[in-house]
Amino acid sequence: MAKRTTFTRVLDENKYEIALSTNNLRVNYGDYEALHGVSLQFERYKITALIGASGSGKSTYLRSLNRMNDTVGSAQVSGQIMYRNLDINSAQVDVYEVRRHIGMVFQRPNPFSKSIRENITFALQRRGLHDSKKLEQIVETTLKQASLWEQVKDDLNKSALALSGGQQQRLCIARALALEPDILLMDEPTSALDPISTANIEQAMQELKQHYTIIIVTHNMQQAARVSDYTAFFHQGKLIEYDQTRRIFTRPQVQLTEDYVSGHFG
Ligand SMILES: Nc1ncnc2c1ncn2[C@@H]1O[C@H](COP(=O)(O)OP(=O)(O)OP(=O)(O)O)[C@@H](O)[C@H]1O
Ligand SMILES: [Mg+2]
């Protein structure tokens, strides 16, 4: 039976810097309510993992955080998403601006069919940056941050599609970083990758968190335990428990969490 039914709020707003928070966030697809009011706070420069069985609402929640659900026709998102004292779920807020601050990396690597260099410079040039020295500098810095530089520095004109899946995913991370976000959302970024590529991405994430706040959805509980500082467990569209990762995996407060992390379902 449930030891306790509510989740503990481990972050004290006065003590920690909160990069992003949601307040009673609900998502409907037509008549179907997929997310039933989720309130969570994300601490700056930490990695938070969202875990839960298939269909529990992790991607729905993550996609709401940078207004990607705006692109899903039937999705209706209500509640607040607070970022820098602004409710970015409000209709007046420019979604492109939101996505510049809150970047996203998807499950399948999706580089543009362009050169490695252009994958990074494309959006910047579209935004009016044409200083080639500056652009080269950004290419180098972001590829280093994504732990890809050493492997591609002599081949920047090569097609991104010629890279391995893991390299493509790191390029997508570099591409997201080029827009200088301060939050990075990752939806199962390693699920299509082999163990070595996965380890490379996890390594890159540890370095990235010095400068970015990362929110990652993962099906892989070992991965959540390895990379994240905090873990939020979702079940059937609800946030069941949120806590420091090591507590979620060793001493969860809610029976359902314990059942899930010990592999009893999902
Ligand atoms: N575009 C959509 N239209 C209608 N229903 C959707 C849509 N996207 C998700 N859903 C539904 O919302 C619920 C939550 O789905 P979501 O994709 O957020 O789960 P998830 O936890 O990310 O699952 P998975 O681990 O399989 O990726 C599911 O019941 C799903 O069928
Ligand atoms: Mg998903």
Side-chain angles (χ1 to χ4, degrees), residues 224-225 228-231 243-252:
S228 70
D229 302 287
Y230 295 99
T231 295
D243 212 328
Q244 291 172 8
T245 295
R246 64 187 155 79
R247 284 171 53 99
I248 290 283
F249 285 97
T250 55
R251 284 172 281 131

Side-chain angles (χ1 to χ4, degrees), residues 29 32 34 53-60 63 72 74 188 219:
Y29 295 109
Y32 174 68
S54 191
S56 58
K58 306 176 300 291
S59 297
T60 295
R63 274 203 305 271
V72 178
S74 62
E188 302 195 50
H219 254 126

Side-chain angles (χ1 to χ4, degrees), residues 187-222:
D187 196 349
E188 302 195 50
T190 64
S191 67
L193 307 180
D194 64 78
I196 291 175
S197 304
T198 297
N200 286 334
I201 298 225
E202 290 181 2
Q203 171 70 35
M205 286 173 68
Q206 293 307 324
E207 281 156 35
L208 289 173
K209 79 173 193 184
Q210 293 172 36
H211 305 286
Y212 305 90
T213 303
I214 298 176
I215 305 171
I216 178 178
V217 168
T218 178
H219 254 126
N220 179 330
M221 283 190 273
Q222 286 81 17

Side-chain angles (χ1 to χ4, degrees), residues 147-159:
S147 308
L148 188 57
W149 175 250
E150 287 305 321
Q151 289 165 54
V152 301
K153 64 182 179 195
D154 300 320
D155 276 323
L156 295 173
N157 291 323
K158 191 165 94 173
S159 167

Side-chain angles (χ1 to χ4, degrees), residues 44 83-84 100-102 180-184 211-213:
R44 185 173 300 284
Y83 174 71
R84 297 186 178 171
R100 205 166 66 66
H101 291 278
I102 307 176
E180 300 188 301
D182 52 28
I183 300 174
L184 206 53
H211 305 286
Y212 305 90
T213 303

